[in-house]
Amino acid sequence: MEKIKMTTPLVEMDGDEMTRILWKMIKDELLLPFIDLNTEYYDLGLEKRNATNDQITVDAAEAAKKYGVAVKCATITPNAARMEEYDLKEMWKSPNGTIRAILDGTVFRVPIIVKGIEPYVKTWKKPITVARHAYGDVYKATEIKVPGPGKCELVYTGTDGTEIRETVHEFKEAGIAQGMHNLESSVESFARSCFSYAVSQKQDLWFATKDTISKKYDHYFKDTFQEIYEKEYKEEFERLGIEYFYTLIDDAVARVVKSEGGYIWACKNYDGDVMSDLIATAFGSLAMMTSVLVSPHGYFEYEAAHGTVQRHYYKHLKGEETSTNSMATIFAWSGALRKRGELDKNEALINFADKLEEASLKTIEAGKMTKDLALITTLENPAVLSSESFIKEIRNTLEELLHAV
Ligand code: NAP
Ligand code: MG
């Protein structure tokens, strides 16, 4: 079979530990034999980040801006223990944080659905994607522990001297208070990222806040979404036959549980933090969750939602066999290849991405899986495979699928 050609490079960001091992296996077994893989490679492994004073992360993000599509392996976010382990010059920031700051986007978490790994919610048939706003609110709040009776105020002093003053509370006793904020630019890019992603996935978009109670703050989010929708996306949504709708967060929660899935749920920062963990767990496993950063300018960066699976890596270093699930990393690749294919009108590449996903799902459905899934599957007598043999099984299935056409 002739290898599939790529016209534009995909930005490839390599990473750390067990996921770095899987990365190479995925490329060797599932990609290089079938595609003339055209990537611009950036090594975001911690050693390279340290050697380049983290410039490599910035360069990788700039490349993602240049080419539009990136795929990223999980990376270590250094802490005190890692400083020692890797003899680091500095406690480098989270690569995801750095990349997000440069691309300015929203993170969408997408579960992989497969027969045999059943969601806890019986009605869920299709994935529910959570889009979490990742700036401000309670994550950047200022808090006061109020010691006793007194007045607590919220004061804004404009650079031109304008003053706005609101009483938070006249305290008759001790208590607590909190001030939080968000920014016009951040809320607007959150909205645009959500609408762009809904268009790219051809899925409905739900958005929910508590605007009945928070009449200025949450209302601002609601209004911003509505205005941007009307002005910039309504026509496209109608053309694609997809829907945007806003509802109260309480109503959204109830509807989500009764739904069959297949839509994107945009959440404010705190709601998204909590709800994405709830949805991920309810769909079965963290190892089956992918994540895509979508910038309002239309750049896409795909990755697994899990980390570098450190504990498995140490086993691997000791020469022991591992059974690490590569699904989320494979789907990061297929997502990125499909997007590259769509942008380049490369049908062969899109088809390959579809087949790669199909082969991965079929392998699990045939009862061949890694240990994490074997523990929760409803299939009887699953075969528990090593990291490597799972990928090899997917390759066999993939070859069958590709030759069947
Ligand atoms: P983790 O890598 O997600 O792993 C936590 C545990 O979840 C593992 O020990 C394993 O459980 C299970 N698990 C996760 N992914 C799995 C997979 N693919 N297959 C099978 N089991 C899987 O989180 P962590 O150990 O807390 O973090 C390790 C490193 O990852 C940290 O340095 C952190 O900074 C980094 N991290 C990076 C990203 C990113 O780049 N996006 C995200 C999160 C964390 P068992 O051990 O019980 O088998
Ligand atoms: Mg959380």
Side-chain angles (χ1 to χ4, degrees):
M1 205 184 85
E2 213 185 306
K3 286 194 193 182
I4 297 162
K5 299 266 182 300
M6 291 175 65
T7 49
T8 317
L10 181 65
V11 179
E12 174 184 353
M13 306 179 184
D14 207 344
D16 289 299
E17 300 195 309
M18 199 59 212
T19 40
R20 188 181 180 97
I21 307 288
L22 298 178
W23 195 260
K24 184 168 184 324
M25 289 180 190
I26 292 168
K27 283 178 68 179
D28 288 345
E29 292 289 334
L30 302 177
L31 304 174
L32 292 168
F34 310 101
I35 307 175
D36 230 343
L37 200 63
N38 180 1
T39 69
E40 197 163 292
Y41 179 84
Y42 292 86
D43 183 0
L44 301 197
L46 190 49
E47 274 134 0
K48 185 75 181 211
R49 279 183 275 149
N50 191 51
T52 62
N53 297 328
D54 211 19
Q55 183 59 38
I56 189 84
T57 310
V58 175
D59 293 347
E62 290 298 338
K65 269 184 159 174
K66 179 172 168 195
Y67 295 112
V69 188
V71 57
K72 180 181 169 291
C73 179
T75 46
I76 293 169
T77 297
N79 55 15
R82 301 297 198 167
M83 289 287 288
E84 213 169 297
E85 186 182 355
Y86 285 82
D87 191 18
L88 300 180
K89 295 187 246 179
E90 244 182 71
M91 203 186 285
W92 306 110
K93 286 196 204 131
S94 146
N96 287 352
T98 303
I99 294 167
R100 211 175 301 152
I102 294 171
L103 299 184
D104 175 24
T106 299
V107 173
F108 297 80
R109 276 181 135 199
V110 193
I112 301 164
I113 310 262
V114 58
K115 279 193 214 94
I117 309 298
E118 303 304 328
Y120 289 93
V121 178
K122 283 185 296 220
T123 50
W124 291 355
K125 303 274 183 275
K126 297 179 221 159
I128 296 168
T129 300
V130 174
R132 171 186 171 188
H133 184 211
Y135 178 84
D137 300 354
V138 73
Y139 300 84
K140 285 243 185 236
T142 304
E143 308 186 323
I144 301 175
K145 206 163 166 198
V146 176
K151 182 164 150 183
C152 182
E153 291 179 293
L154 198 55
V155 184
Y156 160 82
T157 317
T159 43
D160 63 355
T162 337
E163 191 182 276
I164 306 175
R165 190 176 283 264
E166 291 285 345
T167 301
V168 175
H169 194 67
E170 299 264 7
F171 283 88
K172 305 270 182 299
E173 58 177 292
I176 39 181
Q178 182 185 63
M180 60 185 197
H181 79 282
N182 223 299
L183 302 173
E184 183 179 72
S185 58
S186 181
V187 179
E188 287 182 356
S189 64
F190 172 43
R192 289 199 176 93
S193 296
C194 291
F195 290 123
S196 299
Y197 190 68
V199 165
S200 86
Q201 296 308 108
K202 301 177 188 65
Q203 285 186 339
D204 291 348
L205 178 69
W206 300 17
F207 182 44
T209 72
K210 192 71 182 172
D211 67 293
T212 45
I213 300 298
S214 172
K215 292 191 193 306
K216 292 209 173 89
Y217 201 106
D218 280 16
H219 222 284
Y220 180 83
F221 279 81
K222 178 184 174 180
D223 291 345
T224 303
F225 266 68
Q226 196 60 37
E227 269 165 42
I228 290 180
Y229 175 67
E230 304 276 347
K231 270 196 216 134
E232 302 172 29
Y233 293 93
K234 192 162 187 255
E235 262 173 48
E236 180 100 37
F237 268 59
E238 285 171 358
R239 198 173 58 75
L240 292 171
I242 56 175
E243 192 188 359
Y244 165 64
F245 86 93
Y246 176 88
T247 185
L248 262 185
I249 186 87
D250 334 31
D251 179 50
V253 171
R255 283 185 192 225
V256 163
V257 173
K258 288 186 286 183
S259 75
E260 58 164 53
Y263 51 86
I264 298 151
W265 182 15
C267 292
K268 283 179 64 207
N269 209 348
Y270 174 79
D271 299 336
D273 184 355
V274 180
M275 291 307 162
S276 66
D277 281 338
L278 182 109
I279 299 274
T281 312
F283 266 108
S285 164
L286 182 63
M288 296 290 278
M289 183 68 67
T290 59
S291 164
V292 53
L293 173 72
V294 180
S295 93
H297 320 289
Y299 314 128
F300 295 79
E301 185 232 274
Y302 293 82
E303 67 169 338
H306 61 76
T308 58
V309 212
Q310 182 180 17
R311 209 180 60 79
H312 296 208
Y313 181 59
Y314 288 146
K315 272 179 77 179
H316 170 84
L317 287 182
K318 279 194 269 172
E320 292 172 34
E321 196 176 80
T322 57
S323 181
T324 314
N325 189 340
S326 46
M327 285 294 281
T329 306
I330 294 172
F331 275 61
W333 272 100
S334 58
L337 291 169
R338 181 182 297 108
K339 180 56 69 184
R340 188 70 271 162
E342 284 169 8
L343 295 175
D344 296 346
K345 308 221 171 356
N346 185 340
E347 284 303 324
L349 198 58
I350 298 172
N351 177 54
F352 176 81
D354 292 344
K355 288 284 189 297
L356 176 57
E357 291 182 358
E358 193 184 333
S360 307
L361 297 172
K362 272 194 154 171
T363 304
I364 295 175
E365 284 167 7
K368 297 167 197 165
M369 59 192 80
T370 46
K371 190 176 161 196
D372 56 307
L373 296 184
L375 290 171
I376 57 170
T377 186
T378 51
L379 299 176
E380 277 175 33
N381 306 317
V384 183
L385 303 179
S386 68
S387 310
E388 194 168 11
S389 37
F390 178 60
I391 290 173
K392 290 208 155 119
E393 283 295 343
I394 295 176
R395 177 171 178 172
N396 291 339
T397 319
L398 179 61
E399 283 181 345
E400 281 166 28
L401 286 177
L402 290 171
H403 290 137
V405 282

